[in-house]
Amino acid sequence: MDSALLVHRLHFAFTITFHYLFPQLTMGLAPLIVVLKTLALRRNDETYNRAARFWARVFGINFLLGVVTGIPMEFQFGTNWSHFSRFAGGVIGQTLAMEGVFAFFLESAFLGLFLYGEKRLGPRGHWWSAVAVFLGSWLSGFFIIATDAWMQHPVGYTTAADGSAQLSSFWALILNPWAGWQYAHNMSGAVITGAFVMASMGAFYLLWGKFHEYGRIFVRVGVVAALIASVLQVFPTGDGQGRMVAFEQPVTLAAMEGLFQGQPGAPIVLVGQPNVEGHKIDNPILVPNALSFLTYRRWNAEVKGLDAFPQDQWPTNIELLYFSYHIMVGLGTVFIAIAGVAAFLMWRGKLFVSRWMLWILLLALPFPYIANTAGWMTAELGRQPWLVYSLMRTADGYSKTVSAGNGIFTLLGFMGMYMVLGILFLFLVRREIERGPDAEVEAGH
C-alpha cells in the first residue's frame, strides 16, 4: 500500500464500483416504469398507475444517491489521474460534458415532472414524462459508455504537438463499434438488475401476505423482462462484445479464458483455477473446441494464447480478470434458468402459489449487482496494463505529486461517507417498501 499508483487505482475502483450500484438500477427500472404506465393507459387501470408511482419513488431515491456518489468521480480525473486527463481530456471531455448537459438534465428535469406533475400533465403527458426519463437515463449511459469505449478502442483522434490526444472526428467517437456492443451489453445487464429487483419485490409482497395485487404485477413484469434481457445478454450482445475483444484485444481474451498456449480447436474452461506461474489451468473442466467456434465460428480455428504476446502486455492481474469473467458468465446462465423456470410456471398459472419459486426470486436480488460489477471488472482489468489501449499505460496516467498517504486518507474518508449514504439509502427504500404502492391512497383517506 506504499505504492501511489496502487492507491489511486483502489480509490477510483472503490468510488466507481459503489456509484454504479445506483445507475444500473435507474437504467433498468426506467423502461419498466414506461411499461407499467403503458399498461395503465391501455387498460385504464389505476392499479398500474400506482405501481408506476411506487417504482418512480424508488427510482428517485436511487437517482439521488447516484448523483451524490457520481460527482466525486469527475473531480478524481483531476486529483488522482491528472496525467490521464491532460492526455485524453481533448477527446473524452466531449462525451462527459454531453452526458451532464444533455442526458443528466433531461433525466432529472422530467423525473421531477413525473414525480410531482401528474395532475398538471394529464395521463398522456405523464406517460411522455416517463418516456423522457427513460430516454435521459439511457442517453446518459450511452455517453459514459462511449467514453470508456474510446479508452478500450481509441478512434477519431489525432496526436497534438504536446503529445495529447485531440478529437478529430466526433462521429467516429460516437459511432465507435466498440461502444455499440458495449452499450447494448451494459444496458441489457441494467435491465436484468431492474427486472430482478422488481420481481424480487413482488415475491416479497406475496410471501409477506400484503399488497397481493401489486405483488403479482411486479412478479409478472419482472419475470418477463428478466427472461428477455437475460437472453439478450448472452446473444447477441455478449457474443458481439466477446468477438470484439477477440479481434481487437486478443491478449485480453486469452487472459479471460485462461488460455496460456494458443491452439487450434481451443476449449472453453467451465471450472478451473489459473496458475500463472505454471502457465496452466489447474483442475480444469473443459468443453473442447468451444472457444474456437464461439470466436471464429469454426470448430478448429486457431485462437492465440498468452504465449503469443510479450509478458509486459499481459493484463496485470490475470487471476482476478479470469474469475470476474467467469462469475459474470456463470451468473448470466443462472439468470436465464431462474427467469425461464419462473416464466414457465407463470404460463402454467402456478407461479404465484409456488412459494419455493417466489423464495428463489426474492433471494436472487443481489446477484445481478454482483454480475454487473464482475462484468465491469472484466472490462477494466482486461484493458490493463493500458489506461488508453495501446496509447497510454496506467502507470503513466496517475497524479505523480499525490502521495500514497494522501490517497489512503481520502479513500478512508470516502469509505466512511459512502457507508453513511448506503445506510441512508437502505433506510429510505425500506420505508417505501413498508408503505407500499397504496401509501398515497391511504394518505388521501
Side-chain angles (χ1 to χ4, degrees):
M1 290 299 290
D2 59 349
S3 164
L5 172 60
L6 174 61
V7 171
H8 289 312
R9 291 183 67 185
L10 288 175
H11 200 311
F12 198 84
F14 170 75
T15 52
I16 199 167
T17 300
F18 190 92
H19 164 71
Y20 193 65
L21 295 175
F22 303 102
Q24 64 177 289
L25 183 57
T26 55
M27 293 185 298
L29 281 179
L32 302 184
I33 291 173
V34 174
V35 169
L36 291 172
K37 285 295 299 180
T38 302
L39 291 171
L41 275 179
R42 289 176 62 89
R43 301 184 181 186
N44 194 26
D45 189 339
E46 184 59 24
T47 304
Y48 286 96
N49 249 337
R50 289 196 290 269
R53 293 190 205 107
F54 169 79
W55 284 110
R57 295 197 297 272
V58 175
F59 183 103
I61 296 169
N62 205 78
F63 178 78
L64 173 63
L65 269 293
V67 172
V68 172
T69 57
I71 289 175
M73 292 191 305
E74 300 281 349
F75 292 97
Q76 280 185 279
F77 285 119
T79 57
N80 297 68
W81 297 94
S82 58
H83 288 268
F84 164 70
S85 298
R86 189 178 300 115
F87 171 77
V91 177
I92 67 171
Q94 315 296 320
T95 47
L96 291 177
M98 292 178 72
E99 188 273 337
V101 173
F102 298 118
F104 172 73
F105 286 168
L106 173 67
E107 182 181 8
S108 56
F110 280 96
L111 177 60
L113 288 174
F114 186 83
L115 289 173
Y116 304 111
E118 184 174 3
K119 292 182 180 178
R120 291 292 185 93
L121 293 171
R124 294 192 178 277
H126 197 237
W127 181 85
W128 277 111
S129 68
V131 173
V133 171
F134 161 56
L135 293 176
S137 65
W138 280 46
L139 192 60
S140 176
F142 174 76
F143 287 128
I144 296 300
I145 292 293
T147 303
D148 185 77
W150 186 82
M151 296 167 65
Q152 299 279 1
H153 181 62
V155 294
Y157 72 96
T158 57
T159 303
D162 62 356
S164 64
Q166 299 296 325
L167 186 65
S168 61
S169 172
F170 173 76
W171 292 112
L173 174 65
I174 294 298
L175 301 178
N176 187 343
W178 191 288
W181 284 116
Q182 187 177 3
Y183 178 69
H185 193 56
N186 183 81
M187 301 315 285
S188 60
V191 173
I192 290 173
T193 299
F196 270 99
V197 167
M198 183 173 286
S200 179
M201 187 62 59
F204 172 73
Y205 281 149
L206 292 173
L207 291 167
W208 190 22
K210 292 188 176 182
F211 310 113
H212 286 89
E213 190 173 8
Y214 298 102
R216 287 191 289 270
I217 291 173
F218 296 163
V219 168
R220 190 180 299 114
V221 173
V223 164
V224 172
L227 180 59
I228 295 172
S230 297
V231 172
L232 291 176
Q233 185 77 341
V234 175
F235 186 87
T237 68
D239 177 70
Q241 180 67 20
R243 284 167 60 81
M244 182 67 69
V245 172
F247 289 112
E248 301 297 338
Q249 297 181 11
V251 64
T252 301
L253 176 72
M256 286 163 51
E257 297 287 357
L259 186 67
F260 289 94
Q261 286 83 35
Q263 56 184 289
I268 275 183
V269 180
L270 295 180
V271 178
Q273 303 85 46
N275 183 341
V276 178
E277 293 78 12
H279 291 193
K280 63 179 182 177
I281 295 290
D282 292 334
N283 311 309
I285 298 177
L286 307 173
V287 179
N289 303 94
L291 182 59
S292 291
F293 178 76
L294 291 176
T295 304
Y296 298 108
R297 301 298 189 258
R298 289 182 288 112
W299 292 105
N300 292 316
E302 183 166 358
V303 180
K304 290 183 178 180
L306 287 168
D307 60 336
F309 306 93
Q311 198 154 346
D312 65 350
Q313 294 183 16
W314 292 12
T316 49
N317 196 329
I318 291 175
E319 296 90 345
L320 186 56
L321 170 61
Y322 171 90
F323 285 119
S324 297
Y325 171 69
H326 282 77
I327 287 171
M328 174 190 69
V329 173
L331 286 176
T333 306
V334 170
F335 297 152
I336 293 176
I338 292 175
V341 172
F344 176 75
L345 289 173
M346 186 168 62
W347 175 64
R348 295 290 302 273
K350 297 180 179 180
L351 177 58
F352 302 135
V353 295
S354 300
R355 293 181 64 85
W356 62 273
M357 192 68 233
L358 294 177
W359 272 108
I360 290 175
L361 290 173
L362 174 61
L363 297 175
L365 187 147
F367 292 100
Y369 288 96
I370 296 172
N372 275 276
T373 301
W376 271 108
M377 289 177 65
T378 300
E380 301 309 292
L381 290 167
R383 191 182 64 240
Q384 302 301 320
W386 302 100
L387 198 51
V388 180
Y389 197 76
S390 76
L391 295 181
M392 171 179 255
R393 286 182 173 261
T394 304
D396 299 326
Y398 74 100
S399 299
K400 305 297 193 298
T401 58
V402 181
S403 68
N406 289 334
I408 292 174
F409 176 77
T410 54
L411 175 57
L412 292 174
F414 272 105
M415 287 179 172
M417 289 187 295
Y418 281 14
M419 181 179 70
V420 173
L421 290 173
I423 294 171
L424 175 63
F425 171 77
L426 293 175
F427 169 77
L428 293 174
V429 171
R430 178 177 179 269
R431 188 180 66 171
E432 291 299 333
I433 293 170
E434 290 182 343
R435 292 172 62 199
D438 279 334
E440 58 199 70
V441 177
E442 294 171 1
H445 290 315

